[in-house]
Amino acid sequence: MLMATRTLGLLCFCLALLDGEDAWPMFLRDGQGGPVAGEPQLRDPQVTPRTRLWVSAADIPPGRVSDGRNRIGRNNMELPGSGGYASPIAAAGKIFHWHYRPSGTVYDLTRARDLGMSQEDLRAQAQAPRGNLVYGHERWLVSATDVLTAIDAQTGTTVWQTEMTEEGVNFVFFNKGGAGMTPVYHDGMVIAMSTSGQVFGVDAETGAIRWTYDLTPRHEQNMGYRQAAIESGGNAPRFNRDFLVSLVAADGVVVVNDQRLHRIDFPNQRRAFHYDIYNSYLGLNVHTGEVIWEAPEVGDMASSPLLWRHQGQTYIIATNRFRISLLDIKDGRQIWQNPLGHEGNFDLGVNDSHLVMNTRLEGRRIKHLTGYRIDLNGLHELWTWGDVTDRSNIILIDDKGYMIVNGKLRCFNLANGEVLKELPFGSISESTGNPFLAYYGGWLITTAATSEDSRGFTFVHHDPQHMEASRRFFALDVTHGYSSLVFPAFAYGNIYFRSDNSHKINAHSLR
């Protein structure tokens, strides 16, 4: 079984769909949102009130919201705090979702001063969480509880909800923080990261925690940040574009970016950079959490591991700004490494024979979006477009690639980079939406908005001859992140997505 997610990511990465129970077919989807062998083909997908199957009983906190720096956000007591930028995943007849919830008894010192209140005043006015949602001053608690929720994919009822740890850290003080940690399902287990810098292996049927692994040194660092914030009376850390990675799993191994590279601010103190070493990837046993292998310094801050299938074998693609590596997923052995880096908010695109990435050479700031042929001997350049900055993630389907570039959906030939079709698509900027591009059942799905008030999904048939005529937009309450991609999940002809205003998971039939 092969399964992975992005996040985004990112990542991000879109979402893992793997199942083998009863009426649920077995689907495989990696973190890039690309095609899945055997998935149903859709004739006329729509997402309207008529196609709605259910709205989850469990509340899911919103993604990007006004943070502690924004006066409107501070003063609106009915605005719940963010729960992070993770995507839902569909597997084993369930929808799984990770989020964090501010918790504890110590409030951020800067917010307390802005409000003219002491810690004692804030504690005297404390409100209990409303399920998974935290309102009012409780948004400014420095600690966090990491929560994993399982929802019945047919009914929307909550199957179980597990609080993995109460020793996490709250990211809500700076909305360019994370976290975007989409979990992964594999072989009866859901594996999730936490804001405490830990990895949890959770039984998918019962929600029981089977194992915990502490990321070194990030877990110790985050525990130190949290403890210092508590002992100082609320001098809480601010994280910038941190924990924006997802997990992937295959062949009994879950692969994790250890997140040691990060930047942290404390109010009225000097910014601290932990950039002395690149991130490592770890291969853990999905059932025990035992470390199987470690690949030192192959990753970047927001680079999720990517799965690559070739001749029946599974490999890991690892990237940072200055090099790309191919690893064997079973033992972490390096197959090859090239002095080419990928730089961008979102992961590169790859299929069985081609790879497209935003290439950067060490010592140079110039980036070129470049297409390659990929095999066990390395990368072989085919074409380049030059610098491309305003873009979505990249999807590769058979012999074609797809991405949104400068407000246009672009379909191109993977062999030579020739643009086959460009379709005006509206804004995909991070401020106006969640600029992911996904594929399901013959259709490309994205959120593209012309204004802050027009959110939703756009569907376009992947055949360039039918793109323009097939395009349709559905206005929806859709969650978005920042520098990460919040994907919907797809399974059995259905779409499952987070909403910001209703704070739920929504399920619609696409058939």
Side-chain angles (χ1 to χ4, degrees):
M1 288 188 189
L2 178 60
M3 160 105 181
T5 58
R6 157 81 169 79
T7 194
L8 148 90
L10 333 264
L11 190 183
C12 331
F13 39 140
C14 102
L15 306 171
L17 306 178
L18 177 59
D19 197 281
E21 298 183 5
D22 302 324
W24 283 80
M26 182 183 298
F27 291 146
L28 158 69
R29 185 170 305 280
D30 67 19
Q32 302 160 81
V36 175
E39 66 187 5
Q41 295 299 294
L42 306 175
R43 289 186 178 181
D44 185 28
Q46 300 184 36
V47 188
T48 67
R50 185 172 56 87
T51 65
R52 179 179 292 147
L53 299 174
W54 50 256
V55 175
S56 65
D59 290 321
I60 301 297
R64 189 184 184 194
V65 298
S66 297
D67 63 17
R69 301 167 299 166
N70 182 287
R71 185 175 300 277
I72 295 175
R74 291 203 303 266
N75 295 339
N76 186 350
M77 297 294 104
E78 290 305 307
L79 181 68
S82 171
Y85 309 148
S87 303
I89 63 172
K94 303 176 186 66
I95 307 301
F96 300 101
H97 188 267
W98 164 88
H99 74 271
Y100 65 89
R101 183 181 71 235
S103 61
T105 60
V106 177
Y107 298 80
D108 178 61
L109 183 61
T110 302
R111 298 284 71 77
R113 287 172 176 168
D114 289 342
L115 294 164
M117 302 176 71
S118 67
Q119 294 285 330
E120 291 74 19
D121 294 335
L122 289 166
R123 281 192 279 269
Q125 297 183 17
Q127 303 179 40
R130 304 180 200 174
N132 289 328
L133 305 179
V134 173
Y135 292 85
H137 302 322
E138 311 316 296
R139 292 171 295 173
W140 318 130
L141 291 164
V142 303
S143 299
T145 299
D146 287 83
V147 181
L148 190 62
T149 304
I151 298 168
D152 187 286
Q154 296 187 31
T155 65
T157 58
T158 304
V159 180
W160 51 258
Q161 184 162 279
T162 296
E163 295 185 353
M164 298 186 298
T165 177
E166 294 183 349
E167 295 186 340
V169 292
N170 187 0
F171 279 85
V172 78
F173 305 112
F174 186 57
N175 67 5
K176 291 181 183 178
M181 299 179 291
T182 298
V184 65
Y185 171 92
H186 185 63
D187 198 19
M189 298 287 290
V190 182
I191 302 95
M193 288 178 65
S194 70
T195 59
S196 60
Q198 295 173 288
V199 185
F200 289 83
V202 180
D203 188 293
E205 287 301 308
T206 66
I209 297 173
R210 299 302 185 195
W211 54 264
T212 303
Y213 179 81
D214 298 345
L215 295 173
T216 303
R218 193 60 199 271
H219 172 61
E220 290 85 351
Q221 290 169 330
N222 274 20
M223 292 301 91
Y225 299 147
R226 175 180 177 273
Q227 189 61 30
I230 293 172
E231 292 177 355
S232 64
N235 192 26
R238 272 75 168 150
F239 301 99
N240 189 326
R241 295 176 179 88
D242 195 18
F243 277 80
L244 298 177
V245 295
S246 301
L247 310 180
V248 299
D251 300 342
V253 181
V254 57
V255 184
V256 185
N257 181 322
D258 71 2
Q259 290 295 281
R260 67 180 65 203
L261 193 155
H262 65 286
R263 184 179 102 185
I264 183 170
D265 298 337
F266 285 96
N268 304 318
Q269 293 185 22
R270 189 169 185 175
R271 179 174 297 160
F273 293 90
H274 294 272
Y275 287 0
D276 55 324
I277 188 171
Y278 278 105
N279 292 348
S280 299
Y281 284 0
L282 301 170
L284 308 179
N285 184 296
V286 295
H287 291 287
T288 66
E290 176 188 3
V291 178
I292 300 173
W293 54 262
E294 179 177 359
E297 297 192 66
V298 295
D300 223 329
M301 287 182 66
S303 70
S304 298
L306 298 176
L307 296 178
W308 182 56
R309 294 282 290 180
H310 182 71
Q311 297 179 351
Q313 300 297 315
T314 306
Y315 301 90
I316 293 293
I317 294 175
T319 60
N320 60 41
R321 285 178 296 166
F322 299 128
R323 62 180 179 269
I324 179 170
S325 307
L326 184 69
L327 312 173
D328 190 307
I329 194 172
K330 294 182 179 179
D331 57 15
R333 176 175 55 92
Q334 181 176 292
I335 309 300
W336 51 253
Q337 186 176 89
N338 280 341
L340 304 168
H342 169 73
E343 186 165 2
N345 288 334
F346 316 127
D347 286 331
L348 51 80
V350 66
N351 64 10
D352 58 351
S353 58
H354 290 87
L355 181 145
V356 180
M357 69 178 184
N358 219 30
T359 300
R360 176 177 175 178
L361 295 177
E362 189 165 5
R364 298 177 57 189
R365 299 193 66 83
I366 299 174
K367 300 176 289 292
H368 292 143
L369 195 96
T370 307
Y372 301 89
R373 180 170 55 82
I374 181 173
D375 57 32
L376 293 178
N377 294 314
L379 298 179
H380 314 276
E381 183 173 333
L382 299 173
W383 52 266
T384 184
W385 286 345
D387 196 11
V388 176
T389 54
D390 183 13
R391 65 173 183 84
S392 69
N393 59 308
I394 308 165
I395 289 181
L396 309 188
I397 304 172
D398 298 326
D399 60 349
K400 299 180 181 64
Y402 303 83
M403 60 189 298
I404 301 175
V405 181
N406 298 324
K408 295 180 180 179
L409 174 62
R410 181 179 293 181
C411 172
F412 55 94
N413 187 311
L414 290 176
N416 57 24
E418 177 189 0
V419 176
L420 304 175
K421 180 70 175 180
E422 279 199 331
L423 186 65
F425 230 61
S427 170
I428 60 161
S429 70
E430 293 163 348
S431 63
T432 57
N434 181 26
F436 74 79
L437 187 63
Y439 174 90
Y440 186 69
W443 293 76
L444 299 165
I445 304 103
T446 186
T447 47
T450 56
S451 73
E452 194 71 36
D453 297 324
S454 57
R455 297 191 187 280
F457 292 138
T458 298
F459 284 70
V460 176
H461 197 276
H462 81 286
D463 187 334
Q465 295 184 4
H466 301 298
M467 280 183 173
E468 193 158 4
S470 66
R471 179 172 60 176
R472 71 278 306 271
F473 173 76
F474 303 102
L476 296 161
D477 174 19
V478 178
T479 292
H480 71 287
Y482 189 94
S483 294
S484 64
L485 304 180
V486 184
F487 285 99
F490 301 94
Y492 203 49
N494 301 333
I495 185 173
Y496 307 88
F497 62 92
R498 292 175 59 183
S499 63
D500 263 353
N501 296 324
S502 66
H503 320 308
K504 300 287 186 178
I505 299 286
N506 294 262
H508 286 253
S509 173
L510 296 176
R511 292 174 296 172

